[in-house]
Amino acid sequence: MIIGHIGARKGSKGVPGKNFRDLCGKPLMDWSLDQLFESHRVDAVVFSTDCPDMYAHAVKKGALEIGLRPAHLANDTAGKWNVWQHALEEAEKITGTASAFLDLDCTSPLRIAEDIDKALDLFFAEKPDMVMSCCDARKNPYFNLVEPDESGALHVSKPLPGGVVARQQAPIVYEHAASTYVVDPAYLKRAEALFEGRVIPYVMPASRCLDIDEEFDFRLVKLLMQEQLNG
Protein backbone atom coordinates (compact mmCIF):
# COMPACT_ATOMS: atom_id res chain seq x y z
CA MET A 1 0.00 0.00 0.00
CA ILE A 2 1.74 3.15 -1.25
CA ILE A 3 0.05 6.36 -0.16
CA GLY A 4 0.80 9.39 -2.30
CA HIS A 5 0.60 12.78 -0.60
CA ILE A 6 0.41 16.42 -1.66
CA GLY A 7 0.50 19.24 0.87
CA ALA A 8 -0.61 22.75 -0.09
CA ARG A 9 -1.36 25.65 2.24
CA LYS A 10 -3.74 28.41 1.18
CA GLY A 11 -1.36 31.20 2.13
CA SER A 12 1.92 32.12 0.42
CA LYS A 13 3.87 35.31 1.07
CA GLY A 14 6.34 34.97 -1.81
CA VAL A 15 3.80 34.13 -4.53
CA PRO A 16 0.24 34.71 -3.27
CA GLY A 17 -2.14 31.89 -4.17
CA LYS A 18 0.60 30.02 -6.02
CA ASN A 19 -0.62 26.46 -5.39
CA PHE A 20 -3.92 27.07 -7.22
CA ARG A 21 -2.45 29.48 -9.77
CA ASP A 22 -2.51 28.48 -13.44
CA LEU A 23 0.72 27.04 -14.79
CA CYS A 24 0.67 26.11 -18.47
CA GLY A 25 -3.02 25.29 -18.52
CA LYS A 26 -3.77 23.86 -15.09
CA PRO A 27 -3.30 24.73 -11.41
CA LEU A 28 0.25 24.38 -10.11
CA MET A 29 -0.88 21.73 -7.61
CA ASP A 30 -2.27 19.56 -10.41
CA TRP A 31 1.10 18.93 -12.01
CA SER A 32 2.11 16.92 -8.94
CA LEU A 33 -1.35 15.64 -8.05
CA ASP A 34 -1.86 14.22 -11.54
CA GLN A 35 1.50 12.44 -11.34
CA LEU A 36 0.24 10.56 -8.29
CA PHE A 37 -3.03 9.60 -9.96
CA GLU A 38 -1.23 8.52 -13.12
CA SER A 39 1.31 6.34 -11.32
CA HIS A 40 0.40 2.64 -11.43
CA ARG A 41 2.31 2.18 -8.17
CA VAL A 42 0.36 4.62 -6.02
CA ASP A 43 -2.64 2.97 -4.36
CA ALA A 44 -4.25 6.00 -2.73
CA VAL A 45 -3.79 9.77 -2.83
CA VAL A 46 -4.22 12.13 0.10
CA PHE A 47 -4.28 15.93 -0.18
CA SER A 48 -3.55 18.01 2.92
CA THR A 49 -4.65 21.64 2.87
CA ASP A 50 -6.39 24.40 4.80
CA CYS A 51 -8.12 25.69 1.65
CA PRO A 52 -11.71 24.46 1.03
CA ASP A 53 -11.49 25.17 -2.72
CA MET A 54 -8.25 23.25 -3.24
CA TYR A 55 -9.50 20.42 -1.04
CA ALA A 56 -12.75 20.08 -3.01
CA HIS A 57 -10.77 20.16 -6.25
CA ALA A 58 -8.46 17.35 -5.09
CA VAL A 59 -11.31 15.19 -3.76
CA LYS A 60 -13.18 15.59 -7.05
CA LYS A 61 -10.11 14.24 -8.82
CA GLY A 62 -10.07 11.21 -6.49
CA ALA A 63 -8.17 12.14 -3.33
CA LEU A 64 -9.21 10.55 -0.03
CA GLU A 65 -11.71 12.54 2.03
CA ILE A 66 -9.78 13.39 5.19
CA GLY A 67 -11.14 16.92 5.72
CA LEU A 68 -9.13 20.11 6.10
CA ARG A 69 -5.93 20.03 8.12
CA PRO A 70 -6.10 21.30 11.73
CA ALA A 71 -5.44 24.98 12.39
CA HIS A 72 -2.10 24.32 14.10
CA LEU A 73 -0.84 22.76 10.86
CA ALA A 74 -2.07 25.63 8.69
CA ASN A 75 0.17 28.49 9.85
CA ASP A 76 3.59 29.74 8.75
CA THR A 77 5.39 27.81 11.49
CA ALA A 78 3.85 24.40 10.75
CA GLY A 79 6.51 21.91 9.74
CA LYS A 80 6.31 19.49 6.82
CA TRP A 81 6.97 16.54 9.15
CA ASN A 82 3.91 17.16 11.32
CA VAL A 83 1.72 17.67 8.25
CA TRP A 84 2.93 14.31 6.92
CA GLN A 85 2.19 12.60 10.23
CA HIS A 86 -1.35 13.93 10.28
CA ALA A 87 -1.99 13.02 6.63
CA LEU A 88 -0.67 9.48 7.12
CA GLU A 89 -2.78 8.95 10.23
CA GLU A 90 -5.96 10.12 8.50
CA ALA A 91 -5.23 8.22 5.30
CA GLU A 92 -4.57 4.91 7.09
CA LYS A 93 -7.98 5.15 8.74
CA ILE A 94 -9.34 4.65 5.22
CA THR A 95 -6.70 2.55 3.45
CA GLY A 96 -5.21 0.43 6.20
CA THR A 97 -1.49 0.21 6.95
CA ALA A 98 0.81 1.75 4.36
CA SER A 99 4.11 0.29 3.16
CA ALA A 100 5.41 3.65 1.90
CA PHE A 101 4.45 7.31 2.15
CA LEU A 102 5.30 9.19 -1.05
CA ASP A 103 5.26 12.98 -0.87
CA LEU A 104 5.48 15.22 -3.91
CA ASP A 105 6.01 18.92 -3.25
CA CYS A 106 3.57 20.79 -5.47
CA THR A 107 5.83 23.87 -5.65
CA SER A 108 8.40 21.74 -7.49
CA PRO A 109 6.44 20.53 -10.54
CA LEU A 110 9.24 19.73 -13.00
CA ARG A 111 9.92 16.16 -11.84
CA ILE A 112 9.00 13.45 -14.32
CA ALA A 113 7.34 10.05 -13.79
CA GLU A 114 10.76 8.40 -13.94
CA ASP A 115 11.83 10.32 -10.83
CA ILE A 116 8.93 8.89 -8.86
CA ASP A 117 9.67 5.34 -9.98
CA LYS A 118 13.39 5.62 -9.29
CA ALA A 119 12.81 7.09 -5.84
CA LEU A 120 10.43 4.25 -5.00
CA ASP A 121 12.84 1.65 -6.40
CA LEU A 122 15.65 3.08 -4.27
CA PHE A 123 13.46 3.02 -1.16
CA PHE A 124 12.42 -0.61 -1.52
CA ALA A 125 15.92 -1.74 -2.53
CA GLU A 126 17.88 0.03 0.22
CA LYS A 127 15.16 0.06 2.91
CA PRO A 128 16.20 3.38 4.52
CA ASP A 129 14.00 5.41 6.80
CA MET A 130 13.58 7.93 4.02
CA VAL A 131 14.62 8.71 0.46
CA MET A 132 14.95 12.45 -0.14
CA SER A 133 15.35 14.16 -3.50
CA CYS A 134 18.63 16.05 -3.90
CA CYS A 135 20.70 17.62 -6.63
CA ASP A 136 24.39 18.40 -6.91
CA ALA A 137 25.07 21.65 -5.06
CA ARG A 138 26.18 24.56 -7.23
CA LYS A 139 28.26 25.97 -4.37
CA ASN A 140 30.39 23.99 -1.93
CA PRO A 141 31.09 24.99 1.70
CA TYR A 142 34.54 23.37 1.49
CA PHE A 143 35.50 25.47 -1.54
CA ASN A 144 33.43 28.52 -2.55
CA LEU A 145 30.93 29.22 0.22
CA VAL A 146 32.34 31.79 2.62
CA GLU A 147 31.25 33.45 5.86
CA PRO A 148 32.53 36.44 7.84
CA ASP A 149 34.32 36.21 11.18
CA GLU A 150 33.94 38.70 14.05
CA SER A 151 36.04 41.28 12.18
CA GLY A 152 34.09 40.92 8.96
CA ALA A 153 36.85 39.06 7.15
CA LEU A 154 35.74 36.17 4.95
CA HIS A 155 36.74 32.54 5.38
CA VAL A 156 35.71 29.30 3.71
CA SER A 157 32.69 27.95 5.62
CA LYS A 158 34.12 24.46 6.20
CA PRO A 159 37.91 24.64 5.84
CA LEU A 160 39.92 21.44 5.42
CA PRO A 161 43.60 20.93 6.34
CA GLY A 162 45.71 22.22 3.47
CA GLY A 163 42.73 23.91 1.84
CA VAL A 164 40.81 23.03 -1.30
CA VAL A 165 42.04 24.74 -4.45
CA ALA A 166 39.73 23.06 -6.97
CA ARG A 167 36.05 22.14 -6.77
CA GLN A 168 36.85 18.54 -7.76
CA GLN A 169 38.88 18.15 -4.54
CA ALA A 170 35.97 19.10 -2.30
CA PRO A 171 33.75 16.48 -0.63
CA ILE A 172 30.42 15.81 -2.32
CA VAL A 173 27.67 18.15 -1.16
CA TYR A 174 24.01 17.96 -2.19
CA GLU A 175 21.23 20.50 -2.14
CA HIS A 176 18.07 19.30 -0.42
CA ALA A 177 15.59 19.54 -3.28
CA ALA A 178 12.01 19.88 -2.09
CA SER A 179 10.55 17.64 -4.78
CA THR A 180 10.14 13.95 -4.02
CA TYR A 181 10.26 12.00 -0.75
CA VAL A 182 9.58 8.38 0.12
CA VAL A 183 9.19 7.71 3.83
CA ASP A 184 8.88 4.53 5.87
CA PRO A 185 5.50 4.95 7.62
CA ALA A 186 6.86 3.42 10.84
CA TYR A 187 9.66 5.98 10.88
CA LEU A 188 7.23 8.81 10.17
CA LYS A 189 5.13 7.76 13.14
CA ARG A 190 7.97 7.49 15.66
CA ALA A 191 10.39 10.26 14.65
CA GLU A 192 10.00 13.96 15.35
CA ALA A 193 12.01 15.33 12.41
CA LEU A 194 13.37 14.41 8.99
CA PHE A 195 16.96 13.55 9.85
CA GLU A 196 16.60 11.40 12.97
CA GLY A 197 17.00 8.19 10.99
CA ARG A 198 18.82 6.96 7.90
CA VAL A 199 17.98 9.38 5.10
CA ILE A 200 19.52 8.69 1.69
CA PRO A 201 19.56 10.83 -1.46
CA TYR A 202 17.76 10.31 -4.72
CA VAL A 203 19.84 12.56 -6.96
CA MET A 204 17.91 14.43 -9.63
CA PRO A 205 19.07 16.89 -12.30
CA ALA A 206 19.02 20.41 -10.91
CA SER A 207 16.77 21.47 -13.80
CA ARG A 208 13.97 19.27 -12.41
CA CYS A 209 14.41 20.43 -8.81
CA LEU A 210 13.46 24.09 -9.08
CA ASP A 211 11.14 25.18 -6.26
CA ILE A 212 8.75 28.11 -6.49
CA ASP A 213 9.32 30.55 -3.63
CA GLU A 214 9.27 33.87 -5.48
CA GLU A 215 7.64 35.37 -8.57
CA PHE A 216 10.89 34.95 -10.49
CA ASP A 217 10.83 31.22 -9.72
CA PHE A 218 7.30 30.94 -11.10
CA ARG A 219 8.36 32.60 -14.34
CA LEU A 220 11.39 30.35 -14.66
CA VAL A 221 9.45 27.16 -13.92
CA LYS A 222 6.80 28.19 -16.45
CA LEU A 223 9.48 28.60 -19.12
CA LEU A 224 11.02 25.21 -18.37
CA MET A 225 7.62 23.54 -18.19
CA GLN A 226 6.77 24.88 -21.64
CA GLU A 227 10.04 23.46 -22.96
CA GLN A 228 9.28 20.12 -21.30
CA LEU A 229 5.80 20.02 -22.84
CA ASN A 230 7.16 20.86 -26.29
CA GLY A 231 9.54 17.93 -26.05
Side-chain angles (χ1 to χ4, degrees):
M1 170 59 68
I2 297 177
I3 294 176
H5 171 264
I6 303 288
R9 282 199 309 114
K10 177 170 54 178
S12 173
K13 293 180 179 178
V15 184
K18 65 181 177 183
N19 292 318
F20 218 24
R21 181 173 168 180
D22 181 84
L23 174 68
C24 297
K26 61 183 180 182
L28 172 60
M29 58 179 268
D30 276 11
W31 289 101
S32 298
L33 192 59
D34 288 349
Q35 285 183 325
L36 291 180
F37 285 123
E38 291 165 5
S39 172
H40 69 281
R41 302 175 69 172
V42 175
D43 299 291
V45 175
V46 61
F47 186 79
S48 174
T49 185
D50 59 333
C51 175
D53 291 337
M54 286 194 290
Y55 175 75
H57 178 80
V59 168
K60 186 176 180 179
K61 291 174 75 74
L64 300 176
E65 296 190 48
I66 65 165
L68 299 179
R69 68 173 64 167
H72 71 279
L73 296 177
N75 55 44
D76 290 343
T77 61
K80 182 189 293 286
W81 193 254
N82 299 120
V83 170
W84 286 355
Q85 288 177 323
H86 173 261
L88 175 63
E89 180 181 2
E90 294 303 312
E92 286 191 329
K93 291 177 182 178
I94 302 170
T95 66
T97 303
S99 58
F101 183 84
L102 167 67
D103 174 79
L104 303 184
D105 196 314
C106 67
T107 62
S108 185
L110 294 171
R111 85 183 67 74
I112 59 178
E114 178 183 326
D115 292 318
I116 296 172
D117 285 333
K118 286 187 173 180
L120 287 169
D121 289 343
L122 181 61
F123 175 78
F124 287 113
E126 297 293 330
K127 298 183 175 12
D129 291 309
M130 178 166 64
V131 168
M132 183 176 74
S133 55
C134 297
C135 62
D136 293 329
R138 295 181 61 191
K139 299 292 184 180
N140 192 302
Y142 297 95
F143 176 54
N144 56 3
L145 281 179
V146 296
E147 55 189 76
D149 61 19
E150 294 82 359
S151 72
L154 295 176
H155 303 273
V156 172
S157 293
K158 298 183 72 173
L160 293 176
V164 175
V165 297
R167 182 182 178 89
Q168 293 76 13
Q169 298 175 336
I172 294 173
V173 176
Y174 295 122
E175 290 184 25
H176 172 187
S179 170
T180 308
Y181 307 82
V182 188
V183 192
D184 181 342
Y187 174 62
L188 181 53
K189 292 171 185 175
R190 72 172 183 268
E192 296 182 3
L194 269 70
F195 295 105
E196 288 183 15
R198 180 172 177 250
V199 179
I200 64 173
Y202 166 60
V203 184
M204 297 172 58
S207 60
R208 298 207 298 267
C209 291
L210 291 176
D211 186 50
I212 299 174
D213 283 325
E214 301 176 359
E215 189 64 36
F216 173 77
D217 301 327
F218 199 99
R219 291 166 57 196
L220 182 57
V221 166
K222 182 177 180 179
L223 175 65
L224 293 173
M225 180 65 78
Q226 288 171 334
E227 290 183 355
Q228 196 178 95
L229 293 172
N230 292 334

